[in-house]
Amino acid sequence: MRNVIIEKNHKIAPDIYEMILLSKELSHEGFPGKFVNLYLNDGAHLLPRPISICEVDRENHRTRLIYAVVGKGTKILSSKKEGEKLKVMGPLGNGFKIDEKIDRNLVIGGGIGTPPLLELVKQLKGDTKVYLGFRENPILVEDFEKLGAEVHIATEDGSQGHKGNVIELLEKHDVNADSIYSCGPKPMLRAVAKWSREKNIPAQLSLEERMACGIGACLVCTCKINTEDEKWEYKRVCKDGPVFLRDEVIWE
Amino acid sequence: MRNVIIEKNHKIAPDIYEMILLSKELSHEGFPGKFVNLYLNDGAHLLPRPISICEVDRENHRTRLIYAVVGKGTKILSSKKEGEKLKVMGPLGNGFKIDEKIDRNLVIGGGIGTPPLLELVKQLKGDTKVYLGFRENPILVEDFEKLGAEVHIATEDGSQGHKGNVIELLEKHDVNADSIYSCGPKPMLRAVAKWSREKNIPAQLSLEERMACGIGACLVCTCKINTEDEKWEYKRVCKDGPVFLRDEVIWE
Amino acid sequence: MKKSSLEVNIAGINLKNPVMTASGTFGSGREYGEFVDLNKLGAVVVKGVSPTPWKGNPTPRVAETHGGMLNSVGLQNPGVDAFIKNDIPFLRQYDTKIIVNVVGKTIEEYCQVAERLATEDIDMLELNISCPNVKEGGVAFGTDRNKVEEVTKAVKKYAKQPLIVKLSPNVTDIAEMAKAAVEGGADALSLINTLTGMAIDIHRKRPVLANVIGGLSGPAIKPIALRMVYQVAQAVDVPIIGMGGIMTGEDAIEFMLAGATGIAVGTGNFINPMATVEIIEYMEKYLTDHNIEDINEIINGLII
Amino acid sequence: MKKSSLEVNIAGINLKNPVMTASGTFGSGREYGEFVDLNKLGAVVVKGVSPTPWKGNPTPRVAETHGGMLNSVGLQNPGVDAFIKNDIPFLRQYDTKIIVNVVGKTIEEYCQVAERLATEDIDMLELNISCPNVKEGGVAFGTDRNKVEEVTKAVKKYAKQPLIVKLSPNVTDIAEMAKAAVEGGADALSLINTLTGMAIDIHRKRPVLANVIGGLSGPAIKPIALRMVYQVAQAVDVPIIGMGGIMTGEDAIEFMLAGATGIAVGTGNFINPMATVEIIEYMEKYLTDHNIEDINEIINGLII
Ligand SMILES: Cc1cc2nc3c(=O)[nH]c(=O)nc-3n(C[C@H](O)[C@H](O)[C@H](O)COP(=O)(O)OP(=O)(O)OC[C@H]3O[C@@H](n4cnc5c(N)ncnc54)[C@H](O)[C@@H]3O)c2cc1C
Ligand SMILES: Cc1cc2nc3c(=O)[nH]c(=O)nc-3n(C[C@H](O)[C@H](O)[C@H](O)COP(=O)(O)OP(=O)(O)OC[C@H]3O[C@@H](n4cnc5c(N)ncnc54)[C@H](O)[C@@H]3O)c2cc1C
Ligand SMILES: Cc1cc2nc3c(=O)[nH]c(=O)nc-3n(C[C@H](O)[C@H](O)[C@H](O)COP(=O)(O)O)c2cc1C
Ligand SMILES: Cc1cc2nc3c(=O)[nH]c(=O)nc-3n(C[C@H](O)[C@H](O)[C@H](O)COP(=O)(O)O)c2cc1C
Ligand code: FES
Ligand code: FES
């Protein structure tokens, strides 16, 4: 548990907020795909909220989070003032594994699943293509571009980039790669799994599940994972994940 | 229900805070002995906290409260920032009845029961003597003095005024009066009841009880009151009180 | 789209909307009438009424708990005669239904109140066999399947208005109690009354409540209440009035999806005196947002 | 004044302090070991262990509620063999007691686990007849007086370590269940397990939990848990381990005054991973402040 200071907490798009936390340890341990548990300090909403690490600035001890206000907890979070303290646990979980020998990386993000991919792209070696899908307002596009990545956008309403979903765009561009990294809503991940399997490209997928402890002790956040010995077992998204290999994941 | 602004909220003595609320209606309806219900807006502590009106400044729409931090709710209250909004219900209850024809008023306060007597003293006509008892740190003494009242202090530790309790001081000074107004801890009120009965001076006493609704609907805040027809009945401190006539109150 | 209808029917009585006040938390409406337009409410459920005046329990009668409260009022009330004289005429000024919560120490006492009210201008009776704060009657009747049936059957004989039976949650099998009440002749069921609980002042080493044990209410108990409403809705066919921790419109919709035709707000009034009317407004909004014309469509509408 | 003693004895086992972890909320201690020095705890109560691996229920398995949470994990565990192999050696590295929560679908299964553990280096068994999240076994045993006695008696024959029976709060009369367990041979009792509850997503019109109904835990249920511990302490003479909503040292002292010899923290760990050690520190302070030399003096110390 760390008591960290909120340096910034402000709206960057409709219902989307950026929060910058100040903590040396947090920024130094924040690897791509890991998440933090934020404690709301509210008597009605007791459970911590898991939010992915979007980016770290180790020099200035900054950890950047991007979150959507979707319910009461994230609403409370959005009302926290700059300078306030926040109880944080983490970084938690197993992030993306980066194979430095790989040449062509393909990063696929969807909606509020986009943020954790930013720190990833920063650390990837080789050539990186970024495909992002949104319902309407894209976020973080400039941030990805600043890193020198080739960024392609799809929006469902066609307000920016390709009108439709990101898989269509990948197919349209006939993209190829050596390794895929993806985070986004379940239907998108499922489509990425299918597409990447067809293309025979290995993929790492970051999953989401409702959590309580966040550290592997309570077994509420499980997902079905293929095992060698048995047919499948429930693994913990918080501790064994959130990033899993595509071929481990069983879709329901 | 009113949503009022906190103009001030700061410590004035160990564990004692002053809060100034800005609201025209509140200040205009705030008569001596009435109280307000403060809503903490905290998911764990749902019930409103009853706090007496200490003083009103009708011209500037100010209502002054003085409260002791004794538990979690008053702790939360003390952490409210100036400029924040606070949900308030009230003024509630029946306050002190002021008989303008009376010459010699005697006001007896104890500890955190002292604040509501300030607005009372401001409004009393005739000669007013104020006797206040405290465990250690007296509060509001200068405020009473500024109103031109004759103020006498007793402290249990003898750090100021008479060492001992306020009844001893009354007896020592052989005080007499036409009407008594009192607010303070139960043991003190009981002693005031006994002493005033012996002296044959009518007295109004402000009682305290744990509350829920604060407006007379739930019947949790009752106290035993003498009635003509029956022997006694439970009356509501919040709605029928908090101020009762001495001879109505049945002590347990 | 035309304005959605909030009207519901409980045992033959039409309510303009499903929102009521929970017995014992709203007096007879007089006090909250300063904050809430009583004409807006589906019904006012008044505090428990006994054949003769009851004094109730000693104070303290309330303890705040995390997300809830304990009370041990013990059904203090001025008796059915005073109620008829003072409260019915007051409430009849408003365009809302009147539901009278009936209490007694014995089956005979329950029957006396029902009989006395038979000729009065009220809309329904709510049989309270679930108050945990009295030694006799109350929950003693509500936790035994046979007694539930027996007392319901007895009161039903005297009742001229539709009879709601209010169930206690302090039981192993709520569905069984519901069935017993229906077999006894209940026209509707209401649930839940409070769960028995306790709080201790660790520095004085004493219970906070003078009565030691009290009834737990408020948002803390909502998941339990909701589960019970759901289980009862699966078990019986009479309309259900759901309550227990309802604070917001969202909470109320949860209860209706679980199977409640009406809902009642108790402790919620203490925390937000405007809760009832805000819930009614939310219901309208919810129906509009979801393109539903009639609130009856969502009752028991949970998809499993 | 010398440092107050926190040592308590439960069924012949000495614990350095009364503070334990509630089964299912602390894994086998490995995960929380990063935040809490396990050497400081009175005991670690591990998650439910069955004869063979259990997969548990589908997700979502958790729903947050006002001041609490619902879970429907359904006793996922790798089975007693894996537990013995992986978890006992890990926990034995620490200076704390090991209590194993035992689950089964039939009386035979409960007995199998007890038998398998008889020769293992653990300190106590906790018989879980109160899990609301499994179809067979679990709470089905815990809500019937005769079954409570029967399963306790059966397991007692195989148990080589003292046997704690964990009671379900979803009953009309907790004292009766406690007596039944003691008659069956329980050396100690623990309570409460979770209360059954429900939550609904009103926009999807579906239950939040895949399992529809789950177990409610956390501070919301504390008043109920405390009342039950008090009632059981009045009814039986065996030591009680109290739990249900304990978050702070103050909460823990309430349970001990009500009659608990030990206390366990469950949901509290999720909200504050340091809860257990902070409670131990508070206990020391409370005893010092109140001039009490031995924590045993406050057990059942409530003044009525
Ligand atoms: C590993 C991980 C990383 C995440 N990273 C981000 C991120 O970077 N940015 C972001 O905006 N969101 C992220 N989420 C989702 C985020 O945790 C939820 O949106 C948030 O918890 C919702 O809280 P609420 O109180 O506003 O919603 P409510 O619906 O009121 O919450 C009720 C309960 O459900 C849980 N819950 C609700 N939605 C989700 C969800 N989608 N995933 C997990 N739990 C949920 C809440 O934590 C809470 O316990 C992540 C989730 C996980 C599991
Ligand atoms: C009519 C009235 C006027 C009051 N005026 C003042 C005032 O001007 N200044 C002041 O400092 N205090 C005043 N009090 C007492 C004040 O309401 C309590 O000190 C306060 O509610 C304690 O809240 P807490 O959460 O800090 O304490 P906790 O003990 O944590 O509160 C737990 C519960 O008990 C109730 N409670 C605890 N102590 C009291 C008490 N003494 N009286 C009533 N309820 C209590 C709380 O409201 C809450 O519901 C007044 C009380 C009443 C009834
Ligand atoms: C202070 C108080 C008094 C109550 N008195 C009664 C009563 O007289 N009759 C009754 O049937 N229920 C009574 N109840 C129970 C409520 O009607 C309701 O069933 C319960 O509080 C749960 O709803 P809630 O969580 O919305 O309060 C009382 C509850 C409270 C808090
Ligand atoms: C996620 C979770 C899993 C649980 N698993 C078990 C279990 O395996 N065996 C058991 O006896 N109790 C189990 N329980 C119940 C707890 O041990 C405890 O009795 C209950 O949660 C009340 O305590 P609390 O409010 O401190 O959490 C579980 C509770 C939770 C929240
Ligand atoms: S949230 Fe507890 S195991 Fe993942
Ligand atoms: S607090 Fe409800 S009647 Fe006084």
Side-chain angles (χ1 to χ4, degrees):
Chain A
M1 295 290 282
R2 313 181 196 282
N3 228 332
V4 309
I5 288 177
I6 301 174
E7 191 190 35
K8 233 187 196 161
N9 189 26
H10 66 130
K11 198 188 269 195
I12 57 164
D15 288 329
I16 308 282
Y17 284 71
E18 173 184 69
M19 183 181 268
I20 310 279
L21 300 175
L22 287 182
S23 156
K24 183 176 170 186
E25 297 77 15
L26 212 58
S27 69
H28 281 240
E29 297 165 20
F31 293 103
K34 283 178 175 273
F35 67 96
V36 287
N37 253 352
L38 305 180
Y39 293 80
L40 303 172
N41 192 24
D42 177 88
H45 304 91
L46 298 174
L47 297 178
R49 274 20 186 199
I51 301 290
S52 299
I53 290 172
C54 167
E55 200 180 1
V56 292
D57 171 354
R58 301 214 163 113
E59 208 171 316
N60 297 301
H61 303 171
R62 292 194 175 106
T63 300
R64 183 184 185 194
L65 313 176
I66 306 284
Y67 62 95
V69 172
V70 297
K72 289 195 186 129
T74 44
K75 177 98 198 151
I76 293 171
L77 215 52
S78 72
S79 72
K80 300 270 175 196
K81 302 268 181 307
E82 292 168 10
E84 261 185 69
K85 287 202 168 160
L86 189 67
K87 272 200 180 169
V88 176
M89 191 156 75
L92 302 171
N94 285 310
F96 292 103
K97 270 146 229 89
I98 299 177
D99 183 345
E100 309 221 329
K101 287 165 290 175
I102 273 174
D103 271 341
R104 297 174 305 164
N105 302 297
L106 174 56
V107 172
I108 310 172
I112 197 63
T114 302
L117 302 173
L118 191 64
E119 183 63 28
L120 173 74
V121 169
K122 217 198 259 179
Q123 299 197 15
L124 285 174
K125 307 283 182 255
D127 174 57
T128 301
K129 290 201 171 95
V130 178
Y131 278 76
L132 304 176
F134 300 93
R135 198 163 301 161
E136 29 188 16
N137 303 297
I139 52 169
L140 297 176
V141 179
E142 282 176 28
D143 292 78
F144 281 102
E145 283 170 349
K146 265 192 215 143
L147 298 176
E150 186 189 313
V151 185
H152 301 273
I153 307 291
T155 53
E156 278 177 30
D157 67 352
S159 57
Q160 261 190 62
H162 170 79
K163 179 172 164 49
N165 72 40
V166 76
I167 303 288
E168 291 164 12
L169 193 59
L170 287 165
E171 281 173 346
K172 193 169 130 189
H173 290 188
D174 194 16
V175 180
N176 218 325
D178 304 315
S179 186
I180 291 175
Y181 310 82
S182 185
C183 182
K186 218 176 206 169
M188 187 200 88
L189 290 181
R190 209 185 197 131
V192 169
K194 183 165 174 281
W195 180 81
S196 65
R197 200 173 288 125
E198 285 163 11
K199 301 280 278 184
N200 204 17
I201 313 170
Q204 297 177 42
L205 309 175
S206 181
L207 304 187
E208 243 183 61
E209 197 45 73
R210 288 179 184 240
M211 299 182 174
C213 72
I215 60 169
C218 75
L219 306 184
V220 307
C221 68
T222 49
C223 60
K224 282 194 179 173
I225 292 292
N226 283 307
T227 49
E228 288 164 33
D229 46 333
E230 278 183 283
K231 267 183 172 156
W232 60 269
E233 66 177 22
Y234 278 125
K235 285 213 173 184
R236 302 160 299 180
V237 170
C238 70
K239 181 84 178 177
D240 304 313
V243 178
F244 291 94
L245 300 180
R246 177 197 60 216
D247 296 334
E248 291 177 323
V249 180
I250 301 174
W251 305 96
E252 301 238 89
Chain B
M1 294 292 282
R2 313 181 195 284
N3 228 332
V4 308
I5 287 176
I6 302 172
E7 190 190 34
K8 233 186 197 163
N9 189 26
H10 66 131
K11 198 188 270 193
I12 58 164
D15 287 329
I16 308 282
Y17 284 72
E18 173 185 68
M19 181 181 270
I20 310 279
L21 300 175
L22 287 182
S23 156
K24 184 175 169 185
E25 296 78 15
L26 211 58
S27 69
H28 280 239
E29 299 165 18
F31 293 103
K34 283 179 174 274
F35 67 96
V36 287
N37 253 351
L38 306 180
Y39 292 80
L40 304 172
N41 191 25
D42 177 88
H45 304 91
L46 299 173
L47 298 178
R49 271 28 184 193
I51 300 290
S52 298
I53 290 172
C54 167
E55 200 181 0
V56 293
D57 172 354
R58 301 213 163 116
E59 208 171 316
N60 296 302
H61 302 170
R62 293 196 174 106
T63 300
R64 182 184 186 194
L65 313 175
I66 306 284
Y67 62 94
V69 173
V70 299
K72 292 199 184 127
T74 44
K75 178 93 199 157
I76 292 171
L77 216 51
S78 72
S79 72
K80 300 270 176 197
K81 301 270 182 305
E82 295 168 8
E84 261 185 66
K85 286 200 171 162
L86 189 66
K87 274 203 180 167
V88 176
M89 190 156 76
L92 303 171
N94 285 308
F96 292 102
K97 270 142 227 97
I98 298 177
D99 183 346
E100 308 221 331
K101 286 166 292 177
I102 272 173
D103 271 342
R104 297 175 305 166
N105 302 296
L106 174 57
V107 172
I108 309 172
I112 198 64
T114 301
L117 302 172
L118 191 64
E119 183 64 27
L120 172 74
V121 169
K122 218 197 257 177
Q123 300 198 13
L124 285 175
K125 307 283 182 252
D127 174 57
T128 301
K129 289 201 171 93
V130 179
Y131 278 76
L132 304 176
F134 299 94
R135 197 164 301 159
E136 29 188 18
N137 304 298
I139 52 168
L140 296 176
V141 178
E142 282 175 28
D143 293 78
F144 281 102
E145 284 170 348
K146 266 191 213 141
L147 298 174
E150 186 189 313
V151 186
H152 301 274
I153 307 291
T155 52
E156 278 177 31
D157 66 352
S159 58
Q160 261 190 65
H162 169 78
K163 179 172 164 51
N165 72 41
V166 75
I167 303 289
E168 290 165 11
L169 192 58
L170 288 164
E171 282 175 344
K172 192 168 131 191
H173 291 187
D174 195 16
V175 180
N176 219 326
D178 303 316
S179 187
I180 291 175
Y181 310 83
S182 185
C183 183
K186 218 175 207 170
M188 188 201 86
L189 290 180
R190 206 182 200 138
V192 169
K194 183 166 176 279
W195 179 81
S196 65
R197 199 174 288 125
E198 285 163 10
K199 301 280 278 185
N200 205 19
I201 313 170
Q204 297 178 41
L205 310 175
S206 181
L207 304 187
E208 242 183 61
E209 197 46 75
R210 287 178 182 239
M211 298 182 173
C213 73
I215 61 170
C218 73
L219 306 185
V220 306
C221 67
T222 49
C223 60
K224 282 192 179 176
I225 291 292
N226 282 307
T227 50
E228 289 163 32
D229 47 330
E230 276 183 283
K231 267 184 175 157
W232 61 270
E233 67 178 23
Y234 278 124
K235 286 214 169 181
R236 302 161 299 181
V237 170
C238 70
K239 181 84 178 179
D240 305 311
V243 178
F244 291 94
L245 301 180
R246 177 198 59 218
D247 295 336
E248 292 177 323
V249 180
I250 300 175
W251 305 97
E252 303 237 85
Chain C
M1 190 176 142
K2 73 178 208 307
K3 217 178 157 205
S4 309
S5 163
L6 290 185
E7 205 174 296
V8 293
N9 182 293
I10 297 181
I13 307 294
N14 274 323
L15 277 65
K16 65 172 69 155
N17 63 57
V19 180
M20 316 178 202
T21 60
S23 177
T25 66
F26 208 75
S28 289
R30 218 179 283 269
E31 294 79 12
Y32 277 104
E34 288 178 32
F35 300 89
V36 175
D37 179 358
L38 300 181
N39 294 303
K40 291 199 173 156
L41 301 181
V44 170
V45 184
V46 304
K47 59 173 185 276
V49 176
S50 51
T52 54
W54 284 5
K55 291 211 187 287
N57 292 320
T59 51
R61 290 177 172 182
V62 63
E64 191 181 59
T65 68
H66 193 121
M69 60 174 272
L70 292 163
N71 91 81
S72 57
V73 171
L75 299 175
Q76 174 179 338
N77 83 90
V80 68
D81 292 327
F83 170 75
I84 290 172
K85 185 161 156 253
N86 301 323
D87 293 332
I88 298 181
F90 168 78
L91 278 170
R92 266 298 165 243
Q93 299 172 276
Y94 298 91
D95 176 23
T96 189
K97 303 297 174 189
I98 305 175
I99 302 180
V100 183
N101 188 261
V102 175
V103 304
K105 291 198 173 70
T106 58
I107 294 191
E108 291 67 42
E109 287 196 358
Y110 281 108
C111 292
Q112 278 169 38
V113 179
E115 192 176 15
R116 183 76 182 77
L117 289 167
T119 53
E120 294 297 326
D121 184 14
I122 59 165
D123 298 290
M124 297 200 231
L125 299 176
E126 181 180 56
L127 193 63
N128 177 3
I129 51 167
S130 44
C131 177
N133 294 319
V134 288
K135 289 210 177 55
E136 303 145 287
V139 78
F141 285 108
T143 52
D144 176 328
R145 197 228 152 272
N146 295 332
K147 284 196 186 136
V148 170
E149 189 176 340
E150 189 187 347
V151 65
T152 308
K153 208 172 258 169
V155 174
K156 184 68 190 166
K157 283 203 196 108
Y158 294 93
K160 284 286 162 296
Q161 298 87 358
L163 183 64
I164 306 162
V165 173
K166 183 160 179 182
L167 302 177
S168 167
N170 300 293
V171 296
T172 308
D173 187 349
I174 191 77
E176 203 190 328
M177 300 298 154
K179 284 185 206 154
V182 172
E183 277 163 32
D187 301 299
L189 298 174
S190 63
L191 64 157
I192 60 173
N193 209 314
T194 54
L195 284 142
T196 47
M198 188 170 169
I200 293 173
D201 179 333
I202 60 168
H203 298 298
R204 295 175 53 249
K205 296 195 182 123
R206 284 183 165 77
V208 178
L209 299 174
N211 208 39
V212 185
I213 288 174
L216 183 65
S217 62
I221 67 169
K222 197 191 78 178
I224 302 169
L226 196 63
R227 182 263 298 176
M228 290 189 166
V229 165
Y230 172 72
Q231 288 177 329
V232 169
Q234 308 299 305
V236 299
D237 280 328
V238 302
I240 295 167
I241 302 166
M243 74 197 80
I246 296 178
M247 301 260 286
T248 66
E250 283 93 338
D251 297 336
I253 302 286
E254 280 191 80
F255 276 83
M256 298 194 71
L257 288 167
T261 301
I263 65 95
V265 180
T267 306
N269 295 303
F270 309 155
I271 299 153
N272 174 14
M274 304 296 295
T276 45
V277 291
E278 288 176 9
I279 289 170
I280 296 165
E281 283 161 17
Y282 181 85
M283 284 182 169
E284 276 162 5
K285 185 179 143 31
Y286 177 87
L287 293 184
T288 309
D289 288 356
H290 286 261
N291 248 301
I292 301 170
E293 281 185 25
D294 185 339
I295 194 142
N296 288 285
E297 287 174 38
I298 71 163
I299 296 168
N300 225 329
L302 189 69
I303 308 165
I304 300 282
Chain D
M1 191 176 140
K2 74 179 208 306
K3 216 177 159 206
S4 309
S5 163
L6 291 184
E7 204 175 299
V8 293
N9 183 295
I10 297 181
I13 307 295
N14 274 324
L15 278 66
K16 63 172 71 153
N17 63 58
V19 181
M20 315 177 201
T21 60
S23 177
T25 65
F26 208 76
S28 290
R30 219 179 284 268
E31 294 81 11
Y32 277 104
E34 286 177 35
F35 300 89
V36 174
D37 180 357
L38 301 180
N39 294 303
K40 290 199 175 159
L41 302 180
V44 170
V45 184
V46 304
K47 58 173 186 276
V49 175
S50 51
T52 53
W54 283 7
K55 291 212 187 286
N57 292 319
T59 50
R61 291 178 173 181
V62 63
E64 191 182 57
T65 68
H66 193 120
M69 60 174 271
L70 292 163
N71 91 79
S72 58
V73 171
L75 298 174
Q76 174 178 339
N77 82 89
V80 66
D81 292 328
F83 169 76
I84 290 172
K85 186 162 153 250
N86 300 323
D87 292 332
I88 298 181
F90 168 78
L91 278 170
R92 265 298 165 243
Q93 298 173 276
Y94 298 92
D95 176 22
T96 188
K97 302 297 174 189
I98 305 175
I99 301 179
V100 183
N101 189 262
V102 175
V103 303
K105 292 198 173 73
T106 58
I107 294 192
E108 291 66 43
E109 287 196 359
Y110 282 107
C111 292
Q112 277 169 37
V113 179
E115 191 176 14
R116 182 76 181 79
L117 289 167
T119 52
E120 293 297 325
D121 185 14
I122 60 164
D123 298 290
M124 298 199 230
L125 299 176
E126 181 180 55
L127 193 62
N128 177 4
I129 51 169
S130 45
C131 178
N133 294 320
V134 288
K135 289 212 177 55
E136 303 145 286
V139 78
F141 285 107
T143 53
D144 176 327
R145 198 230 153 272
N146 295 332
K147 284 197 188 136
V148 170
E149 189 176 338
E150 190 188 345
V151 64
T152 307
K153 207 172 261 169
V155 174
K156 184 68 189 164
K157 281 202 201 112
Y158 294 93
K160 284 286 161 297
Q161 297 88 359
L163 183 64
I164 305 162
V165 174
K166 184 161 178 180
L167 301 178
S168 167
N170 301 294
V171 296
T172 308
D173 187 349
I174 191 77
E176 203 190 328
M177 300 299 156
K179 283 185 208 155
V182 172
E183 277 163 34
D187 300 300
L189 300 174
S190 62
L191 65 156
I192 61 175
N193 210 314
T194 54
L195 284 140
T196 47
M198 189 169 169
I200 294 175
D201 180 333
I202 60 168
H203 299 297
R204 295 175 55 246
K205 296 193 182 128
R206 283 184 164 78
V208 177
L209 298 175
N211 209 38
V212 186
I213 288 174
L216 182 65
S217 61
I221 68 169
K222 197 191 77 177
I224 303 169
L226 196 62
R227 182 262 298 174
M228 290 189 166
V229 165
Y230 171 72
Q231 289 176 328
V232 169
Q234 309 298 305
V236 300
D237 280 328
V238 301
I240 295 168
I241 302 166
M243 75 198 78
I246 296 177
M247 302 260 286
T248 66
E250 283 93 338
D251 297 337
I253 302 286
E254 281 192 78
F255 276 83
M256 298 195 72
L257 288 167
T261 301
I263 64 97
V265 180
T267 306
N269 294 305
F270 308 156
I271 300 152
N272 175 13
M274 303 296 295
T276 44
V277 289
E278 288 176 10
I279 289 170
I280 296 165
E281 283 161 18
Y282 181 85
M283 285 182 169
E284 276 163 5
K285 184 178 143 34
Y286 178 86
L287 293 184
T288 309
D289 288 356
H290 286 260
N291 247 300
I292 301 170
E293 280 184 26
D294 185 340
I295 195 143
N296 288 284
E297 287 174 38
I298 71 164
I299 297 168
N300 227 328
L302 189 68
I303 307 166
I304 301 282

